Amino acid sequence: MGMIGGSQEAFIGAVHRRGSQLDGEIELVCGAFSSSAEKSKATGEALYLPENRVYGSYEEMILKEKELPEGERMDFVSIVTPNHVHFPAAKMALENGFHVVCDKPATLNLAEAKELKKIIDKSGLIFALTHNYTAYPMVKEAKHLVDSGQLGDIRKIVVEYPQGWLIDLVEATGQKQAAWRTDPARCGAAGAIGDIGTHCENLIEYITGLHIKELCADLTIFVEGRQLDDDGNILIHYNNGAKGILHCSQICNGEENDFNFRIYGVRRESHGTKWSRIRWCLGRATTERGLFVRP
Amino acid sequence: MGMIGGSQEAFIGAVHRRGSQLDGEIELVCGAFSSSAEKSKATGEALYLPENRVYGSYEEMILKEKELPEGERMDFVSIVTPNHVHFPAAKMALENGFHVVCDKPATLNLAEAKELKKIIDKSGLIFALTHNYTAYPMVKEAKHLVDSGQLGDIRKIVVEYPQGWLIDLVEATGQKQAAWRTDPARCGAAGAIGDIGTHCENLIEYITGLHIKELCADLTIFVEGRQLDDDGNILIHYNNGAKGILHCSQICNGEENDFNFRIYGVRRESHGTKWSRIRWCLGRATTERGLFVRP
Amino acid sequence: MGMIGGSQEAFIGAVHRRGSQLDGEIELVCGAFSSSAEKSKATGEALYLPENRVYGSYEEMILKEKELPEGERMDFVSIVTPNHVHFPAAKMALENGFHVVCDKPATLNLAEAKELKKIIDKSGLIFALTHNYTAYPMVKEAKHLVDSGQLGDIRKIVVEYPQGWLIDLVEATGQKQAAWRTDPARCGAAGAIGDIGTHCENLIEYITGLHIKELCADLTIFVEGRQLDDDGNILIHYNNGAKGILHCSQICNGEENDFNFRIYGVRRESHGTKWSRIRWCLGRATTERGLFVRP
Amino acid sequence: MGMIGGSQEAFIGAVHRRGSQLDGEIELVCGAFSSSAEKSKATGEALYLPENRVYGSYEEMILKEKELPEGERMDFVSIVTPNHVHFPAAKMALENGFHVVCDKPATLNLAEAKELKKIIDKSGLIFALTHNYTAYPMVKEAKHLVDSGQLGDIRKIVVEYPQGWLIDLVEATGQKQAAWRTDPARCGAAGAIGDIGTHCENLIEYITGLHIKELCADLTIFVEGRQLDDDGNILIHYNNGAKGILHCSQICNGEENDFNFRIYGVRRESHGTKWSRIRWCLGRATTERGLFVRP
């Protein structure tokens, strides 16, 4: 694996690295950890990578690694940069023969997504889009319950992702995490809907296999001066006739990261009520001491 | 108080009687407890009412009580019958000089409601529509938090009322509670939306003082053979600019009575997070041993 | 019912009055609501009692009521005074032919309790000792689960009652509830163990029917200047061989009233895990707006 | 790191391997993964270790690794075998110049523990005893709250670890996890107290820094035919005057792994109640799909 982004100051890079170690099948061999060559170098050292495998840019990494023999060069890139870099980096990696594991979103807008699709098809390589929540054991358990038919047909789904950290114009203070997430140029066309709403859609599709057939969305910018939606309430019709609700928000004051879902099926309870519905709560805030989960 | 409905076999009558005793200000003096004169009589005896104050019909009770002197006759009626009796009984009571406390819904449809409004205005009497959930101490606490400005302006509201008892065509088995609740002739134009959705709307208005300005509703009849909606998902715009979601359902398999709400305001937390949001759960099923509440 | 204690300023009197109304079988006909005749009178008026049935002392009430004919005079007294009045009032009521419903504790010490036992036996009347927690529906449910054998034999019991309101020498500020509860002369020989530890013992005996055969108690006075125990940790052997723990405390800072218990039996789960163990949480603080319960 | 134990069929080996990867500072270079040379070999292959670094016994591994140059040979062993192997393996590793990271318990009994202490002191090497629960972020947070004085002096501690999986004589069925845990020859002198009670003591000491000064323990063997305690209730006096309770059990039917603790201090709440007490719940059962935590 070659990592693009994920320097020591980044948010999600270290999380991906730890995740990549969990099954013992992946080895980090190189990285372009920052757009600053100096920070990239420092990060590479801290990770015990040899100097010549630590690069100052992803362009440099892709071109140099390409020259190494197979078995020695990286097999794929892991892209963990802010959103606006995902597409150009993925494009270049695919066009130079490297598989891509990319953090969501794949692109900044639909046009780029369609272009990316063509590039992937043409390359014949893997493009994997990561959403962190699908990895949790209890999510696997939920998927298993549905797949094994214990709920029967799904009728109704409620998925919500309320946060409260942006109740004020936090981006105006220069707070790092807020700054890029509220800037269309750096994060894309969507605010809350893109940052956390996508997790809702992805998680439900992952667990149930259902797709959104049509929806009715009410997106709002509550905080004056903000450029992108900070609250979204959506009615959903799924492809199997199920109905549901998806809401995500960055202005639910007091909520840290209360991502949760409920999936209701038709089978009447047999042995214990829990097989007829799944009711889970993920999330809760990251703390200084690490990410924690309440399953 | 004179009670209309509420015989020993009824669902909600005894609850209203107990509630009426809580502050020591109300005395039950008469009743027409059932459309069956025999059942009414039996109920009256069990309640220690003198025979001549136990009636065979509400018509009889209203006309007879009217003849008694003030201070002896009932001051108001408490209507706790199935829905289709609410309006005719209220109409007659008001037109004969008695205040009315009536269980929701006031009428079976909008036309009747408009007519009732005129009758109330003309009578100059009190018409009180009861919704049981507003009585709970924690709901009073929630209202107090909002009224005292501790949340600041309200921005977002989520209120839900999922039940799962009607996942099958229960009404076809003759189950008493299901039978009238799913019959337009006896309960009105709305199914889930009328039976439990109204509690959602009422509770939020009670706590916040806000009114629905416009809404977008997705109502569904999931169970084949059913006549009224058994699931409703609704997007709401409140009169102050707040946005929200209301969903109620009788097909959320596994849910007993999980009525809950979340109200988010603009004030950043000061001393403890709880003043910036209210997050409550009411409900849970009635059991043989009595109603219980999880605040 | 004639009430002794329970004036408008009292803590538990109103709660007992409301409780007495729940099944419609009890009528409050008289009262000696306070040791202050003036306060007693004011309370009686607020309760719509005729003047001549509102007394200035329980002695007066017992003697006067005794002269009234049966069917008109009170049948029993409900004693809701601070602890040191329970025994003298009960003694006089029993010796004058009135049944007694008394709030716990029955007496201030064991010697008085033994004497009371003799008085009760001699009178042939009812002496009922009330513990409020046994009334809750979920406690009835717990008792039913045990009685019906769904847990099988009971092996282990954990019951706890932590509060935190006395972490400082609150009694020194004159706070009313703290003052008498920490004064041996007014509340008896036990502090936390008497005030709340007794609820633990009572609740478990009520639910399981088991008795304490032997125990090992570690009682502590943590707060300097306090006269009675404010923390107790106890190991218990029950009469059927079950083992357990009881702890109660007034210095568990941050706890409001987290009375809870867990009862474990031998039967392996059949349909649903809940029949093999009962795990309940009662309590939570009283608030200005009323007592609430989390089952 | 060289691992002793932890073959593909083992319980805790893979967990330790994943844990060792979390900060990127440890590399697994060799292993004696099973007392069966064949299983050890298979495990080594699955972990991509070169053949010559996969051993058939820990004796072989220690002696062979000792011959390799520093920087190439293992620096320490990670012992993750059933209990009865911990001491002999640690002894040999230390006596041959290798640091030891060992899963609890260090030895099977106190005599061995005293002997081990001498060996450690003589070697001048590191002997680290691992307890998995101290690693969780929320436990670090709890420790931080205490260390930074936010609770003030600690007065009372309740720590509990109830499980219910051994309510029957499971060991008689040959169930692997039960078999060695209930066999004195393989796990030591203690049953529940050793397997899970030690976690309670360790976690509290880790978080608060307090030591047990004296205790009063009530240990029981409930299940007929069992050799070691399956339930323990203990009263504790800590070295700073705090009091507490520790109970652990394998017969609390219905409990999966409900390890939890409450720590109460003297400081009255300032900004939010949570700084005056810590109330945490860890554990919950391992599932087929992985260990999960409820903080």
Side-chain angles (χ1 to χ4, degrees):
Chain A
M1 171 171 95
M3 183 162 267
I4 302 177
S7 77
Q8 289 161 304
E9 296 163 10
F11 179 55
I12 211 72
V15 177
H16 277 269
R17 282 193 294 270
R18 280 197 300 269
S20 74
Q21 296 303 299
L22 283 182
D23 68 355
E25 298 291 327
I26 292 174
E27 190 185 0
L28 176 70
V29 295
C30 61
F33 298 106
S34 175
S35 47
S36 146
E38 206 177 310
K39 290 184 185 176
S40 184
K41 185 176 172 198
T43 302
E45 266 180 44
L47 296 174
Y48 300 110
L49 290 172
E51 269 197 53
N52 65 337
R53 301 298 288 280
V54 184
Y55 303 95
S57 71
Y58 70 82
E59 290 92 339
E60 184 192 4
M61 181 167 82
I62 289 171
L63 293 174
K64 285 264 170 71
E65 289 289 314
K66 193 173 168 179
E67 289 166 20
L68 295 172
E70 189 176 346
E72 197 182 318
R73 70 177 177 242
M74 66 184 187
D75 295 305
F76 69 95
V77 296
S78 167
I79 302 174
V80 293
T81 63
N83 295 358
H84 65 291
V85 180
H86 293 188
F87 177 50
K91 181 180 192 304
M92 186 177 178
L94 290 164
E95 286 173 345
N96 282 278
F98 294 104
H99 301 285
V100 171
V101 173
C102 182
D103 212 23
K104 64 95 178 165
T107 66
L108 281 194
N109 55 62
L110 186 58
E112 286 183 352
K114 292 183 173 183
E115 192 190 333
L116 177 63
K117 179 76 164 74
K118 289 186 186 143
I119 296 169
I120 295 168
D121 291 344
K122 185 172 170 190
S123 72
L125 298 170
I126 292 169
F127 178 93
L129 191 65
T130 59
H131 289 80
N132 53 300
Y133 291 107
T134 53
Y136 288 115
M138 292 308 281
V139 172
K140 306 292 186 190
E141 176 72 15
K143 180 169 163 56
H144 167 74
L145 287 176
V146 176
D147 287 351
S148 60
Q150 296 194 63
L151 268 73
D153 290 337
I154 307 300
R155 262 188 189 147
K156 177 145 180 191
I157 298 170
V158 178
V159 55
E160 17 184 56
Y161 201 146
Q163 300 175 331
W165 67 302
L166 291 182
I167 58 162
D168 298 320
L169 195 66
V170 179
E171 53 268 49
T173 68
Q175 204 259 41
K176 193 180 173 211
Q177 294 299 333
W180 72 263
R181 276 181 172 75
T182 56
D183 177 5
R186 279 182 286 172
C187 86
I193 260 293
D195 196 38
I196 52 181
T198 51
H199 279 296
C200 295
E201 185 275 329
N202 168 268
L203 198 72
I204 295 303
E205 185 187 327
Y206 179 77
I207 292 171
T208 65
L210 297 176
H211 296 271
I212 295 176
K213 186 173 135 189
E214 52 203 9
L215 60 86
C216 173
D218 188 10
L219 306 186
T220 311
I221 300 174
F222 272 109
V223 176
E224 202 171 317
R226 181 162 288 151
Q227 302 187 66
L228 297 171
D229 58 283
D230 50 23
D231 184 88
N233 303 308
I234 305 178
L235 302 180
I236 297 183
H237 290 178
Y238 290 91
N239 59 312
N240 74 330
K243 302 278 181 85
I245 286 170
L246 182 163
H247 63 96
C248 56
S249 180
Q250 297 160 325
I251 56 88
C252 283
N253 198 1
E255 299 288 5
E256 292 205 88
N257 202 49
D258 196 17
F259 187 15
N260 72 85
F261 61 89
R262 281 156 276 159
I263 297 172
Y264 303 100
V266 300
R267 281 194 59 180
R268 193 168 269 294
E269 296 93 330
S270 48
H271 46 280
T273 58
K274 70 175 176 160
W275 304 136
S276 52
R277 66 161 165 160
I278 307 176
R279 194 186 167 116
W280 251 278
C281 181
L282 302 164
R284 289 290 181 280
T286 58
T287 68
E288 298 173 7
R289 289 168 192 71
L291 194 65
F292 63 98
V293 154
R294 177 176 173 239
Chain B
M1 172 171 95
M3 182 163 269
I4 301 177
S7 76
Q8 288 161 304
E9 296 163 10
F11 181 54
I12 212 70
V15 176
H16 277 268
R17 282 192 294 270
R18 280 197 301 268
S20 74
Q21 296 303 299
L22 284 181
D23 67 355
E25 298 292 327
I26 294 174
E27 189 186 358
L28 176 73
V29 295
C30 61
F33 299 105
S34 175
S35 49
S36 146
E38 204 179 312
K39 289 184 184 174
S40 184
K41 187 176 170 199
T43 302
E45 266 181 45
L47 294 174
Y48 301 109
L49 291 171
E51 269 197 53
N52 64 336
R53 301 299 288 278
V54 183
Y55 302 97
S57 70
Y58 71 82
E59 291 92 340
E60 185 192 3
M61 181 167 81
I62 290 170
L63 295 174
K64 286 268 171 68
E65 289 289 314
K66 194 172 166 180
E67 290 165 21
L68 296 172
E70 188 175 347
E72 195 183 319
R73 68 177 180 245
M74 67 185 184
D75 294 304
F76 70 93
V77 295
S78 166
I79 302 174
V80 294
T81 63
N83 296 359
H84 65 290
V85 180
H86 292 188
F87 177 50
K91 181 180 192 304
M92 187 176 177
L94 289 164
E95 287 173 346
N96 283 278
F98 294 105
H99 300 284
V100 171
V101 173
C102 183
D103 212 23
K104 61 95 179 165
T107 66
L108 282 194
N109 54 63
L110 187 56
E112 285 182 352
K114 291 182 175 184
E115 194 190 330
L116 177 62
K117 178 80 164 73
K118 289 186 187 143
I119 296 169
I120 295 166
D121 291 342
K122 186 172 169 192
S123 72
L125 298 170
I126 292 169
F127 178 93
L129 191 66
T130 59
H131 289 79
N132 54 299
Y133 290 107
T134 53
Y136 288 116
M138 292 308 281
V139 172
K140 305 293 187 188
E141 175 73 15
K143 180 170 162 57
H144 168 74
L145 286 176
V146 177
D147 286 352
S148 60
Q150 298 196 61
L151 267 73
D153 291 336
I154 306 300
R155 265 190 186 142
K156 177 144 180 192
I157 298 170
V158 179
V159 56
E160 18 183 57
Y161 201 146
Q163 299 176 331
W165 66 302
L166 292 183
I167 59 162
D168 298 319
L169 196 65
V170 178
E171 53 267 50
T173 69
Q175 205 259 40
K176 194 182 171 205
Q177 293 301 331
W180 71 262
R181 276 182 171 77
T182 57
D183 177 4
R186 280 182 284 171
C187 84
I193 260 293
D195 197 37
I196 52 182
T198 52
H199 279 296
C200 295
E201 184 274 331
N202 167 266
L203 198 71
I204 295 304
E205 186 188 327
Y206 179 77
I207 292 171
T208 66
L210 297 175
H211 297 271
I212 296 176
K213 185 174 137 190
E214 52 204 10
L215 62 84
C216 173
D218 188 12
L219 306 187
T220 310
I221 301 176
F222 273 108
V223 176
E224 203 173 316
R226 182 160 289 150
Q227 302 189 65
L228 297 171
D229 57 285
D230 49 26
D231 185 87
N233 304 309
I234 305 179
L235 302 178
I236 297 183
H237 290 178
Y238 290 91
N239 60 311
N240 73 331
K243 302 280 182 85
I245 285 170
L246 182 163
H247 63 95
C248 57
S249 180
Q250 297 160 327
I251 54 86
C252 285
N253 200 1
E255 299 288 6
E256 290 206 89
N257 202 48
D258 196 18
F259 187 15
N260 72 86
F261 61 89
R262 281 155 276 160
I263 297 173
Y264 302 101
V266 301
R267 280 193 60 180
R268 193 167 269 292
E269 296 93 326
S270 49
H271 47 280
T273 58
K274 70 173 175 161
W275 304 137
S276 53
R277 67 162 166 158
I278 307 177
R279 194 183 167 117
W280 252 278
C281 182
L282 303 163
R284 292 289 180 280
T286 59
T287 70
E288 299 171 9
R289 288 168 192 71
L291 193 66
F292 63 97
V293 154
R294 176 175 172 236
Chain C
M1 172 170 95
M3 183 163 266
I4 302 177
S7 76
Q8 288 161 304
E9 296 163 11
F11 180 57
I12 212 72
V15 177
H16 277 268
R17 281 192 294 270
R18 280 198 299 270
S20 76
Q21 296 304 297
L22 283 181
D23 67 355
E25 298 291 328
I26 293 174
E27 191 187 357
L28 176 72
V29 295
C30 61
F33 298 106
S34 175
S35 48
S36 145
E38 203 177 312
K39 289 184 184 175
S40 183
K41 186 176 171 198
T43 301
E45 265 180 44
L47 295 174
Y48 301 108
L49 291 172
E51 270 196 52
N52 66 336
R53 302 299 289 279
V54 182
Y55 304 95
S57 70
Y58 70 81
E59 290 92 340
E60 185 192 2
M61 181 168 82
I62 289 171
L63 295 174
K64 286 264 168 70
E65 289 288 315
K66 193 172 165 179
E67 290 166 20
L68 294 173
E70 189 177 345
E72 197 183 317
R73 69 177 179 244
M74 65 184 186
D75 295 304
F76 70 94
V77 295
S78 166
I79 302 174
V80 294
T81 63
N83 296 358
H84 65 289
V85 181
H86 293 187
F87 178 48
K91 181 180 192 303
M92 188 178 176
L94 290 165
E95 287 174 343
N96 283 278
F98 294 104
H99 301 286
V100 171
V101 173
C102 184
D103 212 24
K104 63 96 179 166
T107 66
L108 282 195
N109 56 60
L110 188 56
E112 285 183 352
K114 293 183 173 183
E115 191 190 334
L116 178 61
K117 179 78 165 71
K118 289 186 185 140
I119 296 169
I120 295 167
D121 290 343
K122 185 173 170 190
S123 72
L125 297 172
I126 293 170
F127 178 92
L129 190 67
T130 59
H131 288 80
N132 53 299
Y133 290 106
T134 53
Y136 288 115
M138 293 307 282
V139 172
K140 306 292 187 189
E141 176 72 16
K143 180 169 162 58
H144 169 73
L145 287 176
V146 176
D147 286 350
S148 61
Q150 296 193 64
L151 267 72
D153 291 337
I154 306 301
R155 264 188 186 146
K156 177 143 178 189
I157 297 171
V158 178
V159 56
E160 18 184 55
Y161 202 146
Q163 298 176 332
W165 66 304
L166 292 182
I167 58 161
D168 298 321
L169 196 66
V170 178
E171 54 266 50
T173 68
Q175 203 261 40
K176 193 180 173 208
Q177 293 301 333
W180 70 263
R181 278 180 171 77
T182 56
D183 176 4
R186 278 183 285 170
C187 84
I193 261 291
D195 196 38
I196 51 182
T198 52
H199 279 296
C200 296
E201 184 274 331
N202 168 267
L203 198 71
I204 295 304
E205 186 189 325
Y206 179 78
I207 293 172
T208 65
L210 297 175
H211 296 270
I212 296 175
K213 187 173 135 187
E214 53 203 10
L215 61 85
C216 173
D218 188 12
L219 305 187
T220 311
I221 300 175
F222 273 108
V223 177
E224 202 172 317
R226 183 161 287 152
Q227 303 188 67
L228 297 172
D229 58 283
D230 51 23
D231 184 87
N233 303 308
I234 305 179
L235 302 179
I236 297 183
H237 290 176
Y238 290 90
N239 59 312
N240 73 331
K243 301 281 181 84
I245 286 171
L246 183 162
H247 65 96
C248 56
S249 181
Q250 296 161 327
I251 56 86
C252 284
N253 199 1
E255 299 287 5
E256 292 204 87
N257 201 49
D258 197 19
F259 186 16
N260 72 84
F261 62 90
R262 281 156 276 159
I263 297 171
Y264 303 101
V266 301
R267 279 194 61 178
R268 192 167 270 294
E269 297 92 329
S270 48
H271 48 280
T273 58
K274 69 176 178 160
W275 305 137
S276 53
R277 68 162 166 160
I278 307 177
R279 195 186 165 116
W280 251 277
C281 181
L282 302 163
R284 292 287 182 279
T286 58
T287 69
E288 299 171 8
R289 289 168 191 69
L291 194 67
F292 63 97
V293 154
R294 176 174 176 241
Chain D
M1 172 171 96
M3 184 163 267
I4 301 176
S7 77
Q8 288 161 305
E9 297 163 10
F11 179 54
I12 212 70
V15 177
H16 276 268
R17 282 193 294 271
R18 280 199 299 271
S20 73
Q21 295 303 298
L22 283 182
D23 69 355
E25 299 290 327
I26 293 174
E27 189 185 1
L28 176 72
V29 294
C30 62
F33 298 105
S34 175
S35 48
S36 146
E38 204 177 313
K39 288 184 185 175
S40 184
K41 187 176 170 197
T43 301
E45 264 181 46
L47 295 173
Y48 300 110
L49 290 171
E51 271 197 52
N52 65 336
R53 301 300 289 278
V54 183
Y55 303 96
S57 71
Y58 69 82
E59 290 93 340
E60 185 191 4
M61 181 166 82
I62 290 170
L63 294 175
K64 286 266 168 70
E65 289 289 315
K66 194 172 164 178
E67 290 167 20
L68 294 173
E70 188 175 345
E72 197 184 318
R73 69 177 179 243
M74 65 185 186
D75 295 305
F76 68 95
V77 295
S78 166
I79 302 174
V80 294
T81 63
N83 297 359
H84 65 288
V85 181
H86 292 187
F87 178 48
K91 181 178 192 306
M92 187 178 178
L94 288 165
E95 287 175 346
N96 283 277
F98 293 105
H99 301 285
V100 171
V101 173
C102 182
D103 213 22
K104 63 96 179 164
T107 66
L108 282 195
N109 54 63
L110 188 55
E112 286 184 350
K114 291 183 174 183
E115 194 190 332
L116 176 63
K117 179 79 164 70
K118 288 186 188 146
I119 296 168
I120 295 167
D121 291 344
K122 185 171 169 192
S123 71
L125 297 172
I126 293 169
F127 177 92
L129 190 66
T130 58
H131 289 80
N132 54 301
Y133 290 107
T134 52
Y136 288 116
M138 291 308 282
V139 171
K140 306 291 187 190
E141 176 73 15
K143 180 171 164 55
H144 168 73
L145 287 176
V146 176
D147 287 351
S148 59
Q150 296 193 63
L151 268 72
D153 290 337
I154 306 301
R155 262 188 188 148
K156 178 143 179 191
I157 298 171
V158 178
V159 57
E160 17 183 58
Y161 201 147
Q163 298 176 332
W165 66 302
L166 292 183
I167 59 162
D168 299 319
L169 196 66
V170 179
E171 53 267 50
T173 68
Q175 206 258 39
K176 193 180 173 208
Q177 294 301 332
W180 70 264
R181 278 180 170 79
T182 57
D183 177 4
R186 280 182 284 171
C187 85
I193 261 293
D195 197 39
I196 52 181
T198 51
H199 279 295
C200 294
E201 186 273 330
N202 168 266
L203 198 72
I204 294 303
E205 186 189 326
Y206 179 78
I207 293 171
T208 66
L210 296 175
H211 297 271
I212 295 176
K213 185 174 137 189
E214 54 203 9
L215 61 85
C216 173
D218 188 12
L219 305 187
T220 310
I221 300 175
F222 272 108
V223 177
E224 202 173 317
R226 183 160 288 152
Q227 302 188 66
L228 297 170
D229 57 284
D230 49 24
D231 184 87
N233 303 308
I234 304 178
L235 301 180
I236 297 183
H237 289 177
Y238 290 91
N239 60 311
N240 73 330
K243 302 280 181 85
I245 286 171
L246 182 163
H247 63 96
C248 57
S249 181
Q250 296 160 327
I251 55 88
C252 284
N253 199 1
E255 298 288 4
E256 292 206 86
N257 202 47
D258 197 18
F259 186 15
N260 71 87
F261 62 89
R262 280 157 277 159
I263 297 172
Y264 302 101
V266 301
R267 280 193 61 179
R268 192 167 269 292
E269 297 92 330
S270 47
H271 47 280
T273 57
K274 68 174 178 162
W275 305 137
S276 54
R277 67 162 166 157
I278 308 178
R279 191 183 168 117
W280 250 277
C281 182
L282 302 164
R284 289 294 181 274
T286 59
T287 70
E288 300 172 7
R289 289 169 191 71
L291 192 67
F292 62 96
V293 153
R294 175 172 173 241

